[in-house]
């Protein structure tokens, strides 16, 4: 009984010792730097987001604006005014696919909306591409009955917005990783 308590105490002491040794290794990703170098927030604010090229007044143009706005908010928050150090070019394609089709009407009752995006981070000073990547998003939505046109359109639009936000989050995470780790 006493040896079991000693073993538990020794294990607990080992865990505490390991935690104390690694405590100095952790630094929050968005923490301010004390050595005067720019932090992640300042680096992200230096990313310029040109408009995503899509035909005017198309559904994809609206989705492109949604991706760009969501990403701008994630990068800059409400701040503005930083000179651009990098330019992020984004291209995407979207798709819709039926998941479930009603046997009674032959119309889809559940669909998927997807976005496949490619992005390229270009250093403004040199014009060189420093990072490229791809990401995707798939969201499902219910397609109400055939007589509910407004509900059907609203469901598609909500799915487009959710997919656009997911794309923006994925790109923001990848940019944060690039500016923190350098790769």
């Amino acid at each position: 009984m006493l040896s079991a308590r000693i073993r538990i105490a020794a294990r607990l002491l080992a865990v505490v010792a390991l935690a104390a040794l690694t405590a100095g290794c952790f630094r929050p990703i968005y923490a301010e730097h004390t050595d005067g170098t720019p932090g992640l927030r300042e680096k992200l604010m230096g990313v310029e987001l040109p408009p995503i090229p899509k035909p005017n007044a198309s559904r994809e143009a609206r989705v492109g604006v949604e991706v760009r706005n969501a990403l701008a908010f994630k990068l800059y928050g409400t701040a503005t005014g930083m000179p651009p150090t990098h330019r992020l070019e984004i291209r995407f394609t979207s798709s819709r696919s039926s998941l479930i089709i009603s046997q009674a009407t032959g119309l889809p009752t559940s669909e998927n909306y997807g976005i496949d995006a490619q992005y390229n981070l270009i250093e403004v000073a040199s014009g060189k591409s420093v990072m490229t990547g791809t990401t995707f998003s798939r969201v499902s939505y219910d397609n109400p009955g055939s007589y509910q046109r407004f509900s059907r359109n609203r469901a598609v639009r909500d799915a487009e917005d959710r997919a656009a936000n997911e794309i923006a989050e994925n790109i923001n995470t990848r940019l944060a990783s690039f500016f923190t780790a350098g790769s």
Side-chain angles (χ1 to χ4, degrees):
M1 183 104 170
L2 184 61
S3 66
R5 287 184 182 173
I6 292 174
R7 272 189 265 140
I8 291 173
R11 287 182 184 166
L12 184 60
L13 183 63
V15 168
V16 169
L18 285 174
L21 288 174
T22 60
C25 299
F26 175 75
R27 186 174 89 204
I29 192 168
Y30 288 99
E32 297 293 324
H33 292 191
T34 56
D35 60 0
T37 60
L40 179 60
R41 179 61 53 200
E42 289 82 20
K43 290 177 183 177
L44 291 175
M45 288 176 63
V47 176
E48 176 188 7
L49 292 172
I52 298 172
K54 290 292 176 185
N56 287 339
S58 67
R59 251 192 134 80
E60 282 196 331
R62 193 196 71 76
V63 173
V65 169
E66 187 68 29
V67 168
R68 184 174 180 260
N69 288 347
L71 187 56
F73 186 74
K74 291 176 187 314
L75 293 175
Y76 316 134
T78 57
T80 58
M82 292 287 292
T85 58
H86 294 82
R87 183 177 66 251
L88 183 68
E89 295 177 350
I90 302 172
R91 300 203 184 290
F92 73 89
T93 58
S94 62
S95 62
R96 284 172 52 178
S97 60
S98 298
L99 296 176
I100 300 172
I101 297 178
S102 170
Q103 290 181 352
T105 63
L107 297 173
T109 60
S110 182
E111 291 185 331
N112 256 0
Y113 179 79
I115 297 177
D116 295 304
Q118 302 84 33
Y119 53 92
N120 186 14
L121 185 66
I122 300 167
E123 191 175 43
V124 172
S126 66
K128 288 186 172 184
S129 174
V130 293
M131 181 190 71
T132 60
T134 60
T135 186
F136 69 94
S137 173
R138 301 288 182 272
V139 295
S140 62
Y141 60 97
D142 290 334
N143 209 351
S146 61
Y147 298 111
Q148 299 180 17
R149 285 189 309 225
F150 178 77
S151 296
R152 210 173 36 248
N153 288 337
R154 189 66 232 184
V156 172
R157 186 171 178 159
D158 286 345
E160 291 170 345
D161 292 347
R162 286 185 290 133
N165 282 322
E166 193 172 316
I167 291 292
E169 183 65 36
N170 293 346
I171 293 173
N172 182 53
T173 301
R174 181 63 182 101
L175 289 173
S177 173
F178 171 78
F179 284 121
T180 300
S183 61

